[in-house]
Each structure stands twice: as structure tokens, then as C-alpha cells.
Amino acid sequence: MAEPTPTPVRRGRATIVDVAAAARVSKSLASRALRGEPGVSEESRRRINEAAESLGYRINSAARSLVLGVSGLIGVILNDIGNQHHTAIVAGVEAEARERGAEVILAHGGHSVSELQSRIDTMVGLRVDGLIIVSSWVPHATLDTVGREIPTVVVARLDDPPESIDTIASDDEAGARAAVEQLLATGRRRIGYVTRSASATSAARGRGLDQALTQVGIRGSQHVLPRDDTGDLRALLARREFDAVLLNNDQTAADVIRVARDLGISVPTDLAVIGYDDTPLAAALIPTLSSVDQPQQLMGRRAVQALAERQNGRTEPLREFFPPTLVVRDSSAPTTAEPTTTEPPTAKPPSAGGAQA
Amino acid sequence: MAEPTPTPVRRGRATIVDVAAAARVSKSLASRALRGEPGVSEESRRRINEAAESLGYRINSAARSLVLGVSGLIGVILNDIGNQHHTAIVAGVEAEARERGAEVILAHGGHSVSELQSRIDTMVGLRVDGLIIVSSWVPHATLDTVGREIPTVVVARLDDPPESIDTIASDDEAGARAAVEQLLATGRRRIGYVTRSASATSAARGRGLDQALTQVGIRGSQHVLPRDDTGDLRALLARREFDAVLLNNDQTAADVIRVARDLGISVPTDLAVIGYDDTPLAAALIPTLSSVDQPQQLMGRRAVQALAERQNGRTEPLREFFPPTLVVRDSSAPTTAEPTTTEPPTAKPPSAGGAQA
DNA sequence: TTGTAGGCGTTATCAT
DNA sequence: ATGATAACGCCTACAA
């Protein structure tokens, strides 16, 4: 009767103590029941669940992870959430994590290395059980540090990954080789590689191109263009140096197709084009774009497996490379008609143009 | 000498107690110093920072958020991480959050409503200070529940949003109207709307089309196609019912352009095409795609502001609609040449075809 | 300036 | 089957 406050001054959300009180049991019993553990009478279990329901109880995972020492969380760091190659990897991560009962949270540091590092700090602070970094931008030292703290796998090609982390990538040299071989098989000889990236990945693809061309005794040309510049691309294509180009990604390939069209260069008749990553863009373009596909789903899944292996004690670093697949579409289809180049008809010279690595 | 273990059996990571011990101060002092609070001597501060550094100390944010009751985290839920419209909103969220010193974490529930709900549970369990849901799939009841627990804003159009949450969307009717008005201005009259979605958003765009057409006294047609089916689209276009189509997104617009090309329908001469969302795809297509742009950055930023307002005590729901902008590109450019339709030359009849809402 | 003593919500250990 | 009780790592009065 003289009770001051029947309902205790609820600070915020209902806690397990509130639930226990409402169900008139101890918090230990409530904890067990709520987790579905055995050793709780049906009657108690019912009352506890009822109380939890009516109070809108939600477990506080901060408290839980504090006492357990694990969070059940896998953290994923991206540097380009708008890149469909990266998000496809995330899909694989999520699929595998779901099957293993882990939750996936993502963080995105798109603008700078320091931002990426800050996202990593957040994840580590959150005590994620493992970290998957879909980016090649994170410095060696940062990776080494975090790798010593928690299981970490980088899904990207790294020049010199620290021992403390695992890496998963696709075989970029093989991917580029496959592309070039298809171009050679359809009679192309003046083959170039154009990229807007200075990454290890891009460099590896350039090497793959060289390997394939060297094998048949001709030289290719490689061109590194500034990011986000279309003028250089136009100038390059206007020289009509090649009859086929491999690009470092589908977006750049789309730019090539558009610029070529503006210049009156017909794709694929005058110029075959092959992109990389086989994003949805490739199938949407006109002509549809041939592209080197990476098994992103598999790579994502494997990353989660690698995390689990580390948790189970593996200490040797994993270095895994998945084989890519060339998807041939219209942009590199065999040409039946003669090239309509405005250049002199040196259509298929056994030697090639260009320079500059 | 006879000490059993000089270094205490370190369970895992260094804690603030370890740091304090190494710096020979109390843990409270270490806490203050580490947070950069005043009232710590320079000498102590130095020793503490040094100790933290050498021990590789990282604050445990689970413990921190447990005691503080807030996490400093903003949670973002997406149902389509591969959708560049959604990720553009995320970019806005991140920009605003960064300026306000909050961290953003994302979760992605791409496959089902239950998965989305599970991601929401995770976020609430993590005690995020606010939740931004970039999806229209979450059921009313779920939104209401979570909205009562933490500040929540949905960035999407909802038919009947619960009072407990804020909503931010763009004015889809106005967007569709703007598109139709441009089509009308360039002489199109048989204008259709084609969508693969049954969402409130899609319906609103359909209404916008009707409004604009009604104003000039003609009727349009609306067609809801099954998701992921191209056959129906082909059949629809093959009927050559219209000389202009508005699509619910750029991806569908890309499909239209490709199918039209297959059917020998020239874009924009025979058929003007306008997409929605103005994703990177729009500029990459050939012809480049006109598209209705939404101010995604702004919408994302506004969502974070709304969260802050709620935290500062606002209780009335926010319902905000941002004006979209039509970006005109080649696919709806005015045609100088006569249409090359194979149909009888009823090029610009004042009445229109089609049916079926 | 520094230290002591709770307590945040949860789980786990050990009794009962 | 159930309940006390002690951590987990951190922050915050309050005391010294």
C-alpha cells in the first residue's frame, strides 16, 4: 500500500533482472530459460518467456560479449560499398556466416586509409570474433597488428601480406591470360591493357597479359591512366593502336565502349573489349561486355572458413588464389566482317604497337 | 624471486587494469588519462599512454557501452547492398555521422523479411544509439516495436508508417511527373510506366505518371512485370504500344534498351526511355540513360539529423519528402528524325494505348 | 592529482 | 530445479 513506486524507476530497457522479477525467479534461472538451456521446469520456462515477452526484453549483447569474451560477430570492412565486386564477396561471407550461426556486421571506409583504420578500430573494439577486410588499401603494419589480435583475412591481392593474416584472392594473372587467349583465338594481335589503378591486382593482370602474349611471340602495351579521367582514354583510343583492349574493371570497359563509339570505332569489329569482375553492368551494356569473372561467392565463403580455422588453432598463414573464368559476350565476339577502321588496312600484323608499362 | 607468475596469466587482450598496473596508477586514473580528460598530471599521462601503447591496449567498447548506456554507434540496415541507390544513401549517412563523431555500422538482410528482422535484432542488441533502415520491406509491427525502443528512421516510402518512427523519402510522384513532362515536351504521347515492383514507391511513381498525363488529357498505361523476367518485357515492347516508357529503376531501363535493340526499336527515335535513381549505370549505357535522380546524399544526412533530434526529445514523427531531379540524357533526347517504326504511321495520336494498373 | 568502491547486464560456478 | 555470488572491463561519484 505505502509502496512508493510499484514499478521500479526503469532506467531504460528491461533487463534480465526485470524479467526474473516479473516471473518471480532468480536471474540465473531466467538466463538459462531465455537461452533455451535444459534444467528449467516447464512452468518456470513459461512464466519467464511470458514475462520477457510482455516487457519487450532484448538481451544486451554488450553485457553478454563482455562476460563471454566472444561476440558471435564477424566484422567486414569495405573500402567501396558501391563496388559490386566487393558486395558480391560480402554476399558469400553472409551466406557462410549464416550457416554457421554468426552475425555479420559491415563497416565502410571509403575515403582514406585513416578512415579504414578507424573502422578497423571500431570492429576490434566491438570484439568481433574475426575480421574480413575486402580492400587492398590497408597498410602492412596495420594488418599485422590487427592480425595478431584477432583472426583476420584480407580478400584482395596484397604485395607482401604479413604472416599474421590470411589472404584470399583470385588468380589475376590467369584471368588476364584467359582473356588474352580468347582475343588471340579470334585473330586479335594488337592487344593492350588499360587500367586506372596502381594496385597489386592491376599489376598482376598486366603481367598475365604479357605472359600470354609472350607465349605467341608478340608484345602488348600497358597503360596506366589517371583515375576519373576520360580525356586520356579518348586520346589513347584515338591513336587506334590496338584492335583489342583488356580493362581492369567493367566500369572502365564501359567508358571504353562509349568513347570508342564517339570516335567511330566499332566494338567489337574494330576493337574487342574485355572487362574484369563481371559485374551486372557487363550484361547491361551494348554491346554486352565480355568480362573475367571471379568466384566472389566462394571467396567470401572461404574467408569465413579461414576465420574458423584460425579460431581452431591454425597458425600458418593461408594464401589462396581462386581461378577466374572468362565470360565471353558480344564485345569480344569473333568478327566475321572485315574491320571498318579508317586506318590503313594493316588489320592483323603479327607485331604490336604501344609501350609504357 | 619466488613469484609464481610475474606476468599475470593474461586471458586475452590487455585491459585498462593491465595498463594501470604497468603505469603504476589506479584504473580510474588510467581511464581518465586514456580518454584525454583533464585532471591528470603530465607525468602520469605520459606513463599511462606509454603503457597502453606497449601493451597494445584497445578499449573494450562492449564494456564501455555497458556502463555508459550508449554506444556511439548508428546502425544501418539494408536489404540490397548491391543496389547503388541504397549505397549512395549510406554514403550520406556516413558523411553526416562522421561530422558528428558517430560510428556507422551496417547490416544486410538481403533474402527475406525474417533476415532483415534478425539484423535489426542484432543492432538493437548492440545497443546502437539509432537505427536507419534503408528498405521498405520491414513490417509495420516490427518498425513500431523497434521505434519505441530506439530512434529509428526509415529511408524509403512506406504506405502507413507507424507513429514511432521517422520516414524520409523522395517525392516519387513529382519525379515521375517531371519525367513525363519532359517526354510530353519532346512530343511523346503514348507513354507507359513499367515496373517489376509492387512497392509503395513504385505505385507512387505510377500515380505521378497518371497525374502528368491527366493534366494534358491523355491516358498512359502501367504494367507490373514479374521480377527477373525478360520474356514479358519483350512481349510488351513487341506490341509497340508506346513511344516512351518510364521505368522504376535504371536496371529495368537497361533491360528495356537491350530488348528494344533486339527488336529493332531504336532508342530514342522510336522509343524514349527514362530510368529512375540515376545510378552509375545510367551514364554507362548506350545510349546514355535519362533518369530521375534522388538526392541520396541529402536523404542520408537528414536521416542522421532526425536521429539526433529524437535523441534530443522530439516525439512527433518526421515525414519528409525530398524533391527529385530529372537528368536528361540521350535516351529521351528530342528526336529530329522521323520515327522509323514499322507500325503504320500513327506517330503521335492524341490518345493512348494499354491498360492494366 | 590520485585512489576506492560500486555498478552496468550477463553468464558461469557452486551451493542448496 | 533453483538461487547466491563472483566475474567480465569500464566509468563515475566520492574520498583522500
Side-chain angles (χ1 to χ4, degrees):
Chain A
M1 274 263 185
E3 298 282 358
T5 344
T7 343
V9 210
R10 296 278 314 295
R11 234 183 35 105
R13 311 192 37 73
T15 76
I16 201 170
V17 177
D18 302 324
V19 173
R24 291 162 327 216
V25 297
S26 71
K27 60 175 180 172
S28 339
L29 196 61
S31 174
R32 267 182 232 122
L34 260 12
R35 269 173 301 141
E37 292 223 335
V40 181
S41 73
E42 274 318 305
E43 165 61 9
S44 302
R45 195 181 293 280
R46 195 187 53 69
R47 286 215 314 279
I48 292 167
N49 286 329
E50 227 162 52
E53 172 85 15
S54 80
L55 291 175
Y57 170 76
R58 304 237 198 185
I59 192 169
N60 183 329
S61 56
R64 179 189 164 86
S65 97
L66 181 59
V67 57
L68 288 188
V70 300
S71 59
L73 255 31
I74 292 176
V76 176
I77 308 274
L78 300 169
N79 71 24
D80 188 359
I81 200 185
N83 183 321
Q84 308 199 291
H85 168 60
H86 294 174
T87 55
I89 292 170
V90 172
V93 168
E94 288 174 332
E96 184 77 20
R98 193 176 335 132
E99 291 172 14
R100 291 166 176 261
E103 283 284 335
V104 175
I105 59 176
L106 317 169
H108 173 222
H111 299 286
S112 62
V113 172
S114 72
E115 222 182 298
L116 270 178
Q117 286 173 316
S118 156
R119 296 300 100 79
I120 292 176
D121 285 341
T122 302
M123 288 292 186
V124 176
L126 246 20
R127 292 301 188 268
V128 295
D129 298 337
L131 196 56
I132 296 173
I133 299 176
V134 186
S135 169
S136 55
W137 296 6
V138 182
H140 184 100
T142 306
L143 289 176
D144 191 32
T145 305
V146 68
R148 292 169 189 279
E149 298 181 18
I150 55 176
T152 302
V153 29
V154 170
V155 185
R157 175 178 295 267
L158 257 33
D159 267 327
D160 173 33
E163 290 279 308
S164 58
I165 68 161
D166 298 333
T167 59
I168 291 174
S170 77
D171 189 338
D172 295 293
E173 305 190 1
R177 282 200 306 268
V180 171
E181 279 156 14
Q182 194 254 336
L183 293 171
L184 289 169
T186 55
R188 313 286 173 164
R189 287 300 178 272
R190 299 174 295 144
I191 300 175
Y193 174 60
V194 179
T195 178
R196 284 174 170 152
S197 161
S199 67
T201 300
S202 176
R205 293 173 189 171
R207 283 198 304 276
L209 175 119
D210 278 341
Q211 291 162 7
L213 289 180
T214 301
Q215 202 143 36
V216 295
I218 66 184
R219 285 195 57 204
S221 64
Q222 300 191 18
H223 305 266
V224 179
L225 265 34
R227 225 175 150 67
D228 299 333
D229 184 290
T230 243
D232 286 286
L233 185 58
R234 175 176 295 266
L236 181 62
L237 293 182
R239 299 215 299 267
R240 289 171 159 71
E241 255 171 35
F242 21 67
D243 57 13
V245 267
L246 172 65
L247 295 313
N248 189 38
N249 59 51
D250 289 349
Q251 184 60 56
T252 306
D255 292 342
V256 166
I257 290 180
R258 182 154 14 81
V259 170
R261 187 161 170 281
D262 289 351
L263 292 171
I265 300 173
S266 156
V267 175
T269 310
D270 303 330
L271 180 71
V273 178
I274 299 185
Y276 217 108
D277 293 344
D278 196 28
T279 55
L281 180 59
L285 289 176
I286 297 173
T288 57
L289 176 66
S290 300
S291 191
V292 179
D293 183 36
Q294 306 181 49
Q296 292 126 335
Q297 278 271 340
L298 283 180
M299 294 164 72
R301 295 192 96 104
R302 188 75 185 95
V304 176
Q305 294 160 6
L307 251 29
E309 293 167 9
R310 283 280 190 179
Q311 281 156 2
N312 294 332
R314 174 165 59 71
T315 54
E316 329 80 68
L318 175 78
R319 302 280 177 258
E320 199 156 317
F321 295 91
F322 282 77
T325 319
L326 176 66
V327 178
V328 179
R329 296 200 183 86
D330 294 343
S331 70
S332 72
T335 306
T336 49
E338 279 304 296
T340 62
T341 326
T342 56
E343 298 290 277
T346 28
K348 295 168 180 179
S351 84
Q356 175 193 342
Chain B
M1 277 272 190
E3 298 280 0
T5 346
T7 342
V9 210
R10 295 278 313 296
R11 233 183 36 106
R13 313 193 35 72
T15 77
I16 201 170
V17 177
D18 302 323
V19 174
R24 291 165 326 224
V25 297
S26 72
K27 58 175 182 171
S28 7
L29 197 61
S31 172
R32 271 180 226 123
L34 259 12
R35 269 175 300 138
E37 291 221 335
V40 181
S41 72
E42 274 318 305
E43 166 61 10
S44 302
R45 195 181 294 279
R46 196 187 52 69
R47 285 215 315 278
I48 291 168
N49 286 329
E50 228 161 53
E53 171 86 14
S54 79
L55 291 174
Y57 170 77
R58 304 235 199 186
I59 192 167
N60 183 328
S61 56
R64 180 191 165 85
S65 95
L66 181 58
V67 56
L68 288 189
V70 300
S71 59
L73 254 32
I74 292 176
V76 177
I77 309 274
L78 301 169
N79 72 23
D80 188 359
I81 199 185
N83 184 321
Q84 309 199 291
H85 167 60
H86 294 174
T87 54
I89 292 170
V90 172
V93 169
E94 288 174 332
E96 185 76 20
R98 192 174 338 130
E99 291 173 14
R100 292 167 176 261
E103 282 284 335
V104 175
I105 60 176
L106 316 169
H108 174 223
H111 299 285
S112 63
V113 171
S114 72
E115 221 182 300
L116 270 178
Q117 286 173 318
S118 155
R119 294 301 101 78
I120 292 176
D121 285 342
T122 302
M123 287 292 186
V124 176
L126 245 20
R127 293 301 188 268
V128 295
D129 298 337
L131 196 56
I132 296 173
I133 299 176
V134 186
S135 169
S136 55
W137 295 5
V138 182
H140 183 100
T142 306
L143 289 176
D144 191 33
T145 305
V146 68
R148 292 170 191 279
E149 299 181 15
I150 56 176
T152 302
V153 29
V154 170
V155 185
R157 175 179 294 267
L158 257 32
D159 267 329
D160 174 34
E163 291 278 309
S164 59
I165 68 161
D166 297 333
T167 59
I168 291 174
S170 77
D171 188 338
D172 295 293
E173 305 190 2
R177 281 200 306 269
V180 171
E181 278 156 14
Q182 194 254 334
L183 293 172
L184 289 170
T186 56
R188 312 288 174 165
R189 287 299 177 272
R190 299 176 294 144
I191 300 175
Y193 174 60
V194 179
T195 179
R196 285 174 168 152
S197 161
S199 66
T201 300
S202 176
R205 292 172 188 172
R207 283 197 304 276
L209 176 120
D210 278 341
Q211 292 162 6
L213 289 180
T214 301
Q215 202 145 36
V216 297
I218 66 184
R219 284 195 58 203
S221 65
Q222 299 191 19
H223 306 265
V224 179
L225 266 33
R227 226 175 151 66
D228 298 333
D229 183 290
T230 243
D232 286 287
L233 185 59
R234 174 176 297 266
L236 181 63
L237 293 182
R239 300 216 299 268
R240 287 169 160 74
E241 254 172 33
F242 21 67
D243 57 12
V245 267
L246 172 65
L247 295 313
N248 189 38
N249 58 50
D250 289 349
Q251 184 59 57
T252 306
D255 292 343
V256 165
I257 290 180
R258 182 153 15 80
V259 170
R261 186 163 171 278
D262 289 352
L263 292 172
I265 300 173
S266 157
V267 175
T269 309
D270 303 330
L271 181 71
V273 178
I274 299 185
Y276 217 109
D277 292 344
D278 195 29
T279 56
L281 179 60
L285 288 175
I286 297 174
T288 56
L289 176 67
S290 298
S291 192
V292 180
D293 183 35
Q294 305 182 48
Q296 292 126 337
Q297 278 271 339
L298 283 181
M299 293 164 73
R301 296 191 93 105
R302 189 74 185 97
V304 175
Q305 292 160 8
L307 251 30
E309 293 167 10
R310 284 279 189 180
Q311 282 156 2
N312 293 333
R314 174 166 58 73
T315 55
E316 330 80 66
L318 175 78
R319 302 281 177 256
E320 198 156 317
F321 295 91
F322 281 77
T325 320
L326 176 66
V327 179
V328 178
R329 296 200 183 84
D330 295 342
S331 70
S332 73
T335 306
T336 49
E338 279 304 295
T340 61
T341 324
T342 55
E343 298 290 276
T346 29
K348 294 167 182 179
S351 84
Q356 176 192 342

